[in-house]
Amino acid sequence: MSKLEQFQRFIRNNGKDLTGVDVPVILSNEQTKQPQLKFTFGWTIEVGVSQHEHGSYCPNGIQSGSASNARDYAHDKAKEYASGQNSLFNDRFLNILGPDIASNFLIRNRDLKSAPETYVGSKVCYNCSGSGSQSCSNCHGSGKNSCTGCSGSGRISVSRFDSHNNRTVYTTESCSSCWGSGKKTCYTCNGSGSVTCNTCNGGGYLYYSYTIDGDAKRSTKWAYNSNDYHEWTSEFVKNNGLDLVYHLTEIAEVDVEGTLDGCTFIYAFTAKLPTLQFTATIDKVDTTMCFAGKNDTTHNAGGVYDPAVWFVAQEMTGNDQETDKDILATPAIKDIIEAHTTNTQIALLTENWVSKEINDAVISNYQHLVTTLKKQSVKGIAPNMFLSLIKYTYLFFTLGMLIALLFPSFAAETSHRMSVSQVPEWIMALLMMKFGLFGLPAYVNYVFVFGLLWLSYKSVKKWYWKNIGKTKIWLLAISITLLLPHIGFSSYYNTLELLRHSPTIASSLVSGSLLVGVYLLIFGVKKPKRWYGKLFGLLAGLGIYCAIQYGLYVINPTYGFVVDHTHYAREVTKLLTSALDFMKHNVFEWGLLSISFTYFLTRRRFWLKAKTMVADYDSPVLLKSMNMDK
């Protein structure tokens, strides 16, 4: 069976499994050739001077006076090697790499090591300016330190018991440690005020050596000529490497001027590269296909599967989930999309089984599908966010009002407590160490702050419900770091404060029922399914609400919810007004909680709903494209 027949059978046997449809193909005009390819490649010998620091130790080598003189001598010698006057590095290259090239065809960079000459020079020590000594750090050059026994005063306090007068007498006397001088000789420098320089070890000079080093750098360019009629052969070998060729012969050094970046050594060899080319008629369209190498590696399959792949891909619209699922499960479509999303290479595209034009068209349709699903996933989010904002705003307003009604004395003191608007000021005082947390030293504040920031970052990264960028992670982590201490301390101290106050249940019951009772109206509207049921539910909720308020008014004289029954409405209004003052002082907390709950809970609910919908497609790459793979 010829290569032509093998390839034709391959397409017919695998085309439907790959694309989902039959791929009609007729192949003809097979042409085979064994071209002789001549490759040339080379190395540049790079010669340079390296500096080595030795500190106070003087190494072996050619003594050249100053370090600058030694460097200049080394550079002059290096020019001899680079110009070819001295062939040391060239000879080393031929001895080291020449046999490998001839026998194993190894193409690599090599270190040619250093020339035998080492030039040694010195510099005046920068620490002691050549004196070999430096000021003693213990006594700061004075040679003496303050006496620790008398704290530098020269006298010490003593007490003696006077038995004659039966009393203790306090007096001072000369310090026996420093003999009354208040100073002691420095033990580090023995009173001299200077010590041996630790940079040059007292020598006053630092030593440097300069070596001449060589490297053989392989050129990144190749030169090759071919008598093959296939225009694609040279580029194909360049992209796929020499493992395609075989029968390497005539490896030898050649003289080629002006090529391969001016390499010092150029080698050449001749190799055989089998090629195969034929014409295929696919869906009544003629295309040229090319193969090369030991195993007839595909270079250009001519877009064999283009019509079949496009026939499947153009049905991907985002309007029919079942159809889209079948298309995404088609191997060719799945591989193309995964390669695009993960930025990887696949033979289906690199070997042109599917052309770039069809690949781009598939990706375009897929992006349209992703865009459609993203629109569906957030459909209705704006009105839901608005309704959620109203819901959470009223919820936290009601909770705040109930706290104020139950604990009026606590609410009256709210202006003396720190609000969230003062958090930046508190954080700045914390970082400037104006106080210490929990009675610890002030510098420990930084341990708490950076520790909390690190924990916040890790927590957001691990437990946030979806993958987000680093910028958003850091913004959330910083926000948590700023707000969490305020929330924690406020909750702790306010709870302790609340326990000190007695709740006024009776009076708060009347006022609180006005706020909580509103949920009866909401329940009456939401519970029924039909519109007329919602209308009746609203009326029923309104009736129960009014009945509760009237009932509290009727039993008030008996239970004394409001002391002044004759001015019932005015007293209830007064209670609500005092609670509103409490909410006014906490408007930032109230607003922040409402917005946070609205944003995160509503968006999370929509995200989970969208992820469930996308998961039905059974396509991990689709989840990744929509940032839902977490």
Side-chain angles (χ1 to χ4, degrees):
M1 182 183 295
S2 67
K3 295 284 186 181
L4 178 67
E5 293 170 327
Q6 292 176 23
F7 180 55
Q8 184 168 272
R9 175 173 293 184
F10 173 81
I11 296 177
R12 290 176 176 172
N13 291 344
N14 296 278
K16 187 171 183 179
D17 292 336
L18 188 66
T19 64
V21 297
D22 286 323
V23 183
V25 57
I26 300 174
L27 306 181
S28 61
N29 300 333
E30 180 177 2
Q31 297 181 18
T32 304
K33 195 173 183 182
Q34 294 281 343
Q36 301 290 318
L37 303 178
K38 186 175 183 179
F39 292 85
T40 55
F41 51 95
W43 284 261
T44 300
I45 303 299
E46 294 184 350
V47 180
V49 175
S50 300
Q51 176 182 281
H52 311 279
E53 297 182 11
H54 300 277
S56 61
Y57 168 72
C58 181
N60 294 325
I62 302 171
Q63 298 298 319
S64 306
S66 69
S68 59
N69 287 341
R71 183 190 60 223
D72 292 341
Y73 293 152
H75 277 291
D76 290 340
K77 188 65 176 179
K79 290 177 183 178
E80 292 184 17
Y81 291 116
S83 64
Q85 297 177 38
N86 191 324
S87 62
L88 172 72
F89 291 111
N90 289 7
D91 294 339
R92 284 184 178 178
F93 172 78
L94 292 174
N95 291 333
I96 295 173
L97 204 53
D100 287 344
I101 298 169
S103 59
N104 304 316
F105 185 57
L106 298 179
I107 301 178
R108 61 189 179 187
N109 297 337
R110 286 299 293 262
D111 175 17
L112 300 180
K113 301 181 180 179
S114 300
E117 300 90 357
T118 299
Y119 296 90
V120 178
S122 62
K123 292 181 183 179
V124 174
C125 176
Y126 60 84
N127 192 31
C128 64
S129 300
S131 66
S133 62
Q134 62 187 74
S135 178
C136 176
S137 59
N138 189 36
C139 64
H140 305 290
S142 67
K144 293 183 178 295
N145 289 323
S146 179
C147 176
T148 57
C150 61
S151 299
S153 65
R155 300 189 68 81
I156 58 174
S157 298
V158 295
S159 62
R160 293 185 177 87
F161 183 72
D162 187 350
S163 59
H164 180 71
N165 295 316
N166 196 27
R167 64 176 182 173
T168 301
V169 179
Y170 296 92
T171 184
T172 62
E173 63 181 30
S174 179
C175 177
S176 61
S177 181
C178 63
W179 304 103
S181 66
K183 299 287 185 178
K184 295 184 70 175
T185 301
C186 175
Y187 64 86
T188 302
C189 63
N190 293 321
S192 66
S194 61
V195 294
T196 301
C197 175
N198 55 17
T199 302
C200 64
N201 290 325
Y205 289 91
L206 300 176
Y207 293 92
Y208 299 83
S209 65
Y210 297 87
T211 57
I212 304 163
D213 303 304
D215 289 311
K217 301 292 185 181
R218 179 174 57 86
S219 173
T220 57
K221 292 183 179 179
W222 290 21
Y224 32 74
N225 56 20
S226 170
N227 58 356
D228 182 21
Y229 56 88
H230 299 314
E231 296 178 356
W232 49 269
T233 305
S234 296
E235 191 67 24
F236 181 51
V237 173
K238 180 180 178 182
N239 292 335
N240 291 273
L242 293 175
D243 57 333
L244 294 167
V245 303
Y246 60 96
H247 298 308
L248 302 180
T249 59
E250 302 176 12
I251 299 177
E253 185 181 353
V254 295
D255 184 14
V256 180
E257 294 183 359
T259 61
L260 299 181
D261 298 325
C263 287
T264 309
F265 294 93
I266 305 293
Y267 284 83
F269 69 89
T270 302
K272 291 183 179 180
L273 177 70
T275 60
L276 176 67
Q277 176 176 302
F278 51 84
T279 303
T281 304
I282 303 164
D283 199 19
K284 300 181 180 180
V285 177
D286 289 342
T287 183
T288 301
M289 285 172 285
C290 309
F291 297 80
K294 300 176 183 178
N295 299 311
D296 291 326
T297 305
T298 310
H299 168 65
N300 182 0
V304 170
Y305 295 126
D306 279 3
V309 169
W310 180 237
F311 177 80
V312 176
Q314 65 183 341
E315 300 297 323
M316 184 167 50
T317 61
N319 298 321
D320 186 344
Q321 187 184 72
E322 291 303 318
T323 301
D324 292 336
K325 284 174 62 176
D326 291 340
I327 294 171
L328 291 174
T330 304
I333 304 295
K334 181 180 178 182
D335 291 345
I336 289 172
I337 293 172
E338 287 183 351
H340 172 77
T341 305
T342 59
N343 196 26
T344 55
Q345 298 287 334
I346 56 172
L348 192 69
L349 301 176
T350 57
E351 297 180 8
N352 204 27
W353 294 94
V354 174
S355 67
K356 184 179 184 301
E357 291 75 15
I358 295 299
N359 169 67
D360 293 342
V362 171
I363 297 304
S364 177
N365 272 26
Y366 175 70
Q367 295 294 356
H368 174 73
L369 169 65
V370 172
T371 302
T372 301
L373 293 178
K374 284 183 177 179
K375 288 180 179 178
Q376 293 175 1
S377 69
V378 296
K379 189 176 181 180
I381 193 171
N384 270 272
M385 291 276 279
F386 179 72
L387 292 174
S388 294
L389 180 61
I390 296 174
K391 177 179 72 175
Y392 288 117
T393 300
Y394 187 75
L395 172 65
F396 291 115
F397 172 77
T398 303
L399 291 175
M401 291 288 286
L402 288 176
I403 291 173
L405 291 168
L406 280 168
F407 303 96
S409 57
F410 171 80
E413 299 169 358
T414 188
S415 60
H416 302 295
R417 302 185 187 95
M418 187 177 75
S419 69
V420 72
S421 62
Q422 296 171 295
V423 168
E425 181 183 348
W426 183 83
I427 290 292
M428 284 304 298
L430 183 79
L431 295 176
M432 293 176 70
M433 298 190 291
K434 292 184 177 181
F435 64 92
L437 290 170
F438 310 113
L440 295 171
Y443 65 84
V444 180
N445 293 351
Y446 284 92
V447 177
F448 285 109
V449 171
F450 288 112
L452 181 57
L453 180 62
W454 181 80
L455 286 173
S456 301
Y457 180 83
K458 291 294 184 180
S459 299
V460 171
K461 196 173 181 181
K462 182 176 182 180
W463 286 306
Y464 197 77
W465 67 82
K466 61 180 288 188
N467 287 323
I468 54 177
K470 282 190 175 181
T471 303
K472 287 186 176 180
I473 293 176
W474 276 113
L475 285 174
L476 284 172
I478 293 170
S479 300
I480 293 172
T481 303
L482 292 174
L483 294 175
L484 190 61
H486 172 70
I487 295 170
F489 287 133
S490 297
S491 300
Y492 175 72
Y493 289 114
N494 287 337
T495 301
L496 292 180
E497 188 69 19
L498 282 173
L499 295 176
R500 294 176 51 249
H501 296 80
S502 299
T504 57
I505 298 175
S507 59
S508 60
L509 179 64
V510 175
S511 303
S513 64
L514 290 170
L515 301 170
V516 178
V518 173
Y519 284 99
L520 288 171
L521 307 181
I522 298 172
F523 182 78
V525 173
K526 290 188 68 176
K527 188 66 175 175
K529 300 296 182 182
R530 301 182 181 277
W531 68 269
Y532 53 81
K534 293 182 180 295
L535 179 61
F536 284 119
L538 175 63
L539 294 174
L542 184 61
I544 296 172
Y545 178 78
C546 293
I548 291 173
Q549 304 309 319
Y550 181 72
L552 291 172
Y553 173 77
V554 170
I555 65 175
N556 183 63
T558 305
Y559 293 97
F561 299 129
V562 177
V563 177
D564 189 359
H565 184 71
T566 57
H567 299 92
Y568 181 86
R570 186 184 67 187
E571 293 299 318
V572 171
T573 303
K574 189 183 296 183
L575 290 171
L576 290 172
T577 303
S578 64
L580 283 172
D581 288 337
F582 171 77
M583 294 303 296
K584 182 176 67 175
H585 284 99
N586 294 278
V587 66
F588 283 108
E589 284 84 351
W590 172 30
L592 189 62
L593 284 171
S594 302
I595 293 171
S596 298
F597 272 68
T598 298
Y599 181 81
F600 288 106
L601 294 185
T602 305
R603 284 182 64 87
R604 185 174 186 274
R605 185 172 69 251
F606 269 79
W607 184 85
L608 291 174
K609 180 181 176 183
K611 184 173 183 179
T612 302
M613 176 185 68
V614 176
D616 291 340
Y617 284 82
D618 194 25
S619 174
V621 71
L622 184 60
L623 285 170
K624 183 176 180 65
S625 297
M626 296 188 66
N627 198 23
M628 294 180 175
D629 52 335
K630 184 171 181 177

